[in-house]
């Protein structure tokens, strides 16, 4: 294999794929990336940690097609240190098991492992294929990912549950995440091709990796899905991963429908007040108390060591007065995702789950378990 | 020596192959298997063979037939050109997880046990779907090396393995595993091979080179052991040991100390391991022959003389058996508790080289 590639393009692509490669690897081939140059003018770089793999395609000029593996982090470090605007030449010498990197007057010779050692990626066609815009996917991830559980014993909560369902307004695709204390549910109109998709749980690792890449992308994302795999293609990148092998709990059961105490407040001023008052609450519980009365809302926090805080807010509330406590961090996480000015809290009593939503936008709802304070 | 993950041919163990094939054909596959037998007999080779068969799509390729009687599986052999074969050999197959003792990078030697963190990797692995959509295989080589916490963590996984997941536990001493682990696995016993089978299996690895007859004699039906004994780096250990024993019961203390010193060095890990195996195998051999009221044949140079000297030093056959049992225990403790190896070798040799 022999190819010449612009340093900036190679660096950008390496920066993407090398993030999949783990720093410490007991299996040598996994610290390598696979570089494949077919006939034509592009090269694909592949990296995997055996759960998740990423392929990025870059334009270059290929003089001899072929493929080779190279140590991911070393190659990335080299290309990073090369001067801007340099043109990089990659040459493989399979018989000597090495790969040469040349740029200007620098030459590097790196060890290379046989390409056959590289884990083969499942390339079979996935039964379901549909397209989401990158903004839709971004919103779906942002509004749910904060609620993903990190608890390993409940591994089936360690991701975003993606499924299709029927709503009065028509068929929708839903993303749901929960950690047992809070739950986030986001709906999108069901894209074409996603009818009848299996409910899948997208692992946290893919979610994070995907979110990073979406910042740089603004086109459409093509999603391929089967019961055991998800593949996301956007721009020149294809990200593909195993899924969580488990059953997501029946979350509908925990979303209350009979709550009657409706509180409406300005999202911004409430978030700021919660943040201020929470300074006092203990590091561990982060609890804040909300007292609702006819003349407004009182936010308080007490801590045996740090003292106490109180702040009053004007809100719209007409039901009977009562008190309820929340974890301030959970409140802020949710308020951050409410896009409109007015957030709606729909409550029952101090011990039952509260529903939070954006008054202007019904596509996302959040459920929050109160704290006893 | 060629590792088990690269060995495609299986010598002997035909009954086990039939047993596993039948289980796979019958669509009632036990999800956990305990492969038990002496070290080096081919348990790991067999386990990799099972993994290879399942991960190359074996067992499910044809699917159920119209009459519900798809052709039975008769062999676990696979197509050698399948890409999965290569990936399994280098450890890069996404649906195979192998748990072995790890390297301790700070001390630059192998860790003494399989830790609980390593066993937790298994649950993470099994909580994700299979990359190729088929089986997920976990191979623990060996289950004996798990510490208590690791064993308990494994128990949790064995209780409820997910669908299409197979756990293969290799064990040299299944009796020492937790009874709760044993009872959750289908036992697959590996008997020692016939000398001829050992020779074929070992020579396949040596790539045509003939196997040293001494190694074959001491192999106890385990090709792995024959190969370890045939290794020129560790061969001298046995020769030195026999030379030492020939002086018993009046060995030069300096010579005994020198011998132990050499094996106790951090760099002599392979030599020490081979000493433990060979010492054990050879004493067993002396005991076996003496118990039959016979003399130990002179299969190894100076062996008969050394055997006599050792018996003389021990006092009687009963005493020798006692010493042998004690030493087995001692070496196990040395590994488990990280005791000083030189002292362990000295304590093992003392009752055999000196009349106390």
């Amino acid at each position: 294999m022999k190819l010449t590639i612009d340093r900036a393009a190679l660096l950008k692509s390496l920066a993407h794929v090398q993030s999949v490669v783990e720093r410490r690897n007991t299996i040598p081939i996994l610290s390598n990336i696979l570089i494949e140059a077919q006939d034509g003018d592009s090269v694909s770089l592949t990296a995997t940690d055996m759960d998740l793999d990423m392929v990025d395609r870059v334009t270059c000029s290929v003089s001899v097609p072929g493929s080779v593996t190279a140590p991911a982090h070393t190659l990335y470090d080299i290309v990073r240190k090369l001067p801007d605007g340099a043109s990089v030449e990659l040459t493989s010498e399979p018989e000597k098991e090495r790969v040469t990197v040349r740029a200007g007057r620098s030459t590097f010779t790196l060890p290379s492992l046989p390409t056959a050692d590289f884990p083969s990626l499942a390339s079979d066609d996935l039964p379901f294929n549909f397209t989401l815009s990158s903004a839709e996917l971004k919103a779906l991830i942002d509004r749910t990912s904060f609620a993903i559980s990190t608890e390993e014993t409940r591994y089936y909560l360690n991701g975003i549950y993606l499924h299709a369902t029927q709503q009065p307004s028509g068929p929708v695709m839903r993303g749901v995440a929960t950690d047992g204390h809070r739950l986030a549910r986001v709906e999108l109109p069901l894209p074409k091709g996603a009818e009848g998709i299996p409910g899948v749980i997208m692992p946290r690792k893919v979610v994070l990796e995907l979110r990073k890449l979406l910042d740089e992308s603004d086109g459409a994302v093509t999603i391929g899905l089967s019961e055991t795999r998800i593949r996301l293609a956007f721009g020149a990148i294809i990200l593909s991963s195993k899924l969580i092998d488990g059953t997501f709990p029946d979350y509908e059961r925990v979303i209350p429908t009979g709550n009657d105490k409706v509180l409406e407040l300005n999202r911004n001023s409430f978030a700021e007040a919660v943040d201020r008052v929470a300074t006092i609450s203990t590091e561990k519980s982060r609890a804040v108390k909300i007292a609702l009365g006819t003349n407004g809302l009182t936010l308080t926090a007490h801590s045996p060591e740090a003292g106490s805080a109180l702040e009053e807010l004007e809100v719209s509330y007409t039901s009977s007065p009562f008190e309820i406590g929340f974890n301030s961090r959970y409140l802020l996480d949710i308020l951050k995702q409410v896009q409109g000015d007015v957030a709606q809290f729909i409550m029952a009593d101090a011990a039952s789950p509260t529903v939070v939503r954006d008054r202007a936008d019904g596509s996302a709802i959040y459920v929050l378990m109160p704290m006893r304070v | 020596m060629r590792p088990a993950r690269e060995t495609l041919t299986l010598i002997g163990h035909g009954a086990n192959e039939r047993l596993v094939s039948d289980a796979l054909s019958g669509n009632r596959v036990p999800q956990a298997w305990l492969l038990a037998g002496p070290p080096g007999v081919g348990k790991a080779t067999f386990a990799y063979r099972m993994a290879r068969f399942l991960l190359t799509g074996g067992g499910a390729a044809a699917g159920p037939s119209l009459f519900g009687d798809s052709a039975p599986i008769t062999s676990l052999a696979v197509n050698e050109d399948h890409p999965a074969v290569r990936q399994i050999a280098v450890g890069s197959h996404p649906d195979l997880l192998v748990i072995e003792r790890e390297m301790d990078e700070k001390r630059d030697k192998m860790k003494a046990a399989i830790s609980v963190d390593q066993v937790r990797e298994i649950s993470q692995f099994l909580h994700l779907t299979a990359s190729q959509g088929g089986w997920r295989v976990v191979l623990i080589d060996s289950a004996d090396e798990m510490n208590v916490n690791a064993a308990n963590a494994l128990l949790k996984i064995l209780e409820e393995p997910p669908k299409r997941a197979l756990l293969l536990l290799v064990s040299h001493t299944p009796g020492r595993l937790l009874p709760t682990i044993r009872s959750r696995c289908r036992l697959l016993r590996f008997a020692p091979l016939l000398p001829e089978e050992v020779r074929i299996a070992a020579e396949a690895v040596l790539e045509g080179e003939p196997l040293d007859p001494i190694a074959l004699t001491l192999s106890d039906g385990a090709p792995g052991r024959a190969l370890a004994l045939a290794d020129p780096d560790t061969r001298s250990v046995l020769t030195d040991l026999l030379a030492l024993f020939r002086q018993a019961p009046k060995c030069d203390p300096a010579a005994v100390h020198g011998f132990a010193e050499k094996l106790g060095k951090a760099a002599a890990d392979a030599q020490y391991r081979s000493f433990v195996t060979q010492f054990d195998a050879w004493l067993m051999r002396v005991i076996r022959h003496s118990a039959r009221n016979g003399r130990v044949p002179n299969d190894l140079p100076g062996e008969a003389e050394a055997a006599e000297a050792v018996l003389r030093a021990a006092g009687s056959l009963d005493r020798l058996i006692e010493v042998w049992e004690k030493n087995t225990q001692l070496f196990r403790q040395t590994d488990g508790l990280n005791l000083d190896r030189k002292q362990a070798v000295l304590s093992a040799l003392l009752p055999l080289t000196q009349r106390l």
Side-chain angles (χ1 to χ4, degrees), chain A residues 21-84:
Chain A
V21 179
E22 277 172 43
R23 280 275 161 196
R24 285 182 68 253
N25 254 318
T26 42
I27 300 161
I29 188 70
L30 294 187
S31 48
N32 282 30
I33 55 165
L34 178 67
I35 305 169
E36 288 174 296
Q38 268 87 36
D39 286 316
D41 55 359
S42 75
V43 59
S44 72
L45 307 177
T46 309
T48 177
D49 66 357
M50 299 225 272
D51 295 336
L52 171 77
D53 42 65
M54 196 193 297
V55 187
D56 195 3
R57 189 165 275 286
V58 212
T59 35
C60 66
S61 98
V62 180
S63 36
V64 184
S67 59
V68 70
T69 71
H73 295 302
T74 319
L75 184 62
Y76 176 59
D77 285 344
I78 291 172
V79 176
R80 201 161 47 85
K81 290 174 187 169
L82 289 175
D84 204 15

Side-chain angles (χ1 to χ4, degrees), chain A residues 154-219:
Chain A
R154 291 201 275 179
Y155 62 91
Y156 46 83
L157 297 183
N158 296 162
I160 298 179
Y161 179 52
L162 214 58
H163 70 129
T165 185
Q166 193 68 35
Q167 279 291 83
S169 56
V172 291
M173 167 172 276
R174 273 189 185 164
V176 187
T178 178
D179 63 1
H181 302 291
R182 52 204 169 143
L183 179 144
R185 190 194 82 186
V186 176
E187 277 175 5
L188 301 169
L190 192 71
K192 217 172 148 291
E195 299 85 8
I197 54 162
V200 299
I201 310 170
M202 192 159 59
R204 166 190 211 86
K205 198 151 73 173
V206 195
V207 173
L208 297 179
E209 204 61 55
L210 178 63
R211 187 61 193 84
K212 264 195 283 177
L213 293 165
L214 281 176
D215 272 336
E216 297 174 27
S217 144
D218 46 9

Side-chain angles (χ1 to χ4, degrees), chain A residues 24 26-30 50-51 114 116-122 152 155 203 227-229 242-246, chain B residues 83 86-87 90-96 102-103 105 120 123-133 136 162-163:
Chain A
R24 285 182 68 253
T26 42
I27 300 161
I29 188 70
L30 294 187
M50 299 225 272
D51 295 336
D117 289 2
F118 202 81
S120 54
L121 312 179
E152 275 184 21
Y155 62 91
E227 278 182 14
T228 57
R229 253 193 123 64
K242 296 178 176 178
L243 295 166
I244 292 177
D245 188 15
Chain B
R86 174 78 187 231
Q87 285 163 23
V90 297
S92 68
H93 196 288
D95 293 331
L96 173 68
E102 281 180 335
M103 194 72 184
E105 270 156 29
R120 290 205 180 114
S123 30
Q124 284 172 18
F125 173 74
L126 293 180
H127 288 157
L128 290 175
T129 53
S131 178
Q132 319 282 338
R136 285 159 289 170
K163 275 184 203 155

Side-chain angles (χ1 to χ4, degrees), chain B residues 48-49 92 96 105 152 158-159 192 204 276 282 301 311 314 329 332 348 355:
Chain B
Y48 275 104
R49 190 173 167 85
S92 68
L96 173 68
E105 270 156 29
N152 283 324
L158 283 174
E159 271 166 11
V276 173
W282 189 74
L311 265 172
Q329 183 109 27
R332 199 175 293 152
R355 166 69 48 79

Side-chain angles (χ1 to χ4, degrees), chain B residues 242-257 305-306 308-314 349-356:
Chain B
L242 291 185
L244 205 62
F245 279 154
R246 278 199 291 278
Q247 311 301 320
K250 287 188 208 110
C251 286
D252 175 13
V256 180
H257 272 267
E305 201 186 325
E308 250 172 60
V310 166
L311 265 172
R312 215 165 32 243
L349 291 179
L350 210 62
L352 300 175
T353 50
Q354 242 115 55
R355 166 69 48 79
L356 298 174

